[in-house]
Amino acid sequence: QNQLGRADNVISGSKFEQLEKLREDIRSFKAKHGLETAVVVWSANSERYSELSPGAAHDPELLLEAIRRNEAEVSPSILYAVAAILERCPYVNGSPQNTLIPSVVELARRHAIPVSGDDFKSG
């Protein structure tokens, strides 16, 4: 909220609409540069820890349902991770928040996409 006045590339819409926009951005980037894949690196500011329901935090299908329901606890970094995984791109988390929750890791495992990281500065 404290950066709204300076932000010039904000993705609007529901969580699902944001996810779809991120996926399209990844596809467009790969097509523009003739790439089969890309690595998505999250290096944004730290977020507070998400407090997703136990189901959404542990089951990929329930996480995708939470995104479709526009649940507030689905963080931007989780949306980026899910978008990367669904577009078959490895994801590196460079900030200290709980992005790589069990449901995200399981989604990555099911798609055979590597995910890693929890903080560039201390971990």
Side-chain angles (χ1 to χ4, degrees):
Q1 291 292 40
N2 67 345
Q3 296 181 24
L4 286 177
R6 296 178 286 166
D8 62 1
N9 191 20
V10 176
I11 300 172
S12 60
S14 69
K15 302 285 183 173
F16 183 76
E17 291 167 334
Q18 293 172 24
L19 175 66
E20 290 302 304
K21 172 68 170 123
L22 294 170
R23 291 185 70 185
E24 175 57 33
D25 287 350
I26 292 169
R27 286 191 298 270
S28 294
F29 180 85
K30 291 190 315 187
K32 177 180 178 182
H33 298 285
L35 304 172
E36 290 183 29
T37 192
V39 176
V40 175
V41 178
W42 177 268
S43 62
N45 289 341
S46 300
E47 302 166 333
R48 71 170 176 77
Y49 273 58
S50 294
E51 296 181 21
L52 288 166
S53 68
H58 289 88
D59 183 296
E61 284 78 24
L62 295 177
L63 174 61
L64 293 172
E65 285 180 26
I67 292 169
R68 283 190 282 280
R69 284 193 311 269
N70 202 35
E71 286 192 15
E73 288 299 315
V74 178
S75 68
S77 64
I78 289 174
L79 287 177
Y80 272 80
V82 170
I85 293 163
L86 294 178
E87 292 304 320
R88 308 204 43 78
C89 295
Y91 178 86
V92 178
N93 180 45
S95 294
Q97 64 264 343
N98 62 335
T99 303
L100 298 181
I101 56 178
S103 56
V104 171
V105 173
E106 177 59 19
L107 183 67
R109 188 194 66 74
R110 290 181 185 178
H111 288 273
I113 299 298
V115 295
S116 68
D118 63 6
D119 188 357
F120 287 145
K121 293 172 275 318
S122 64

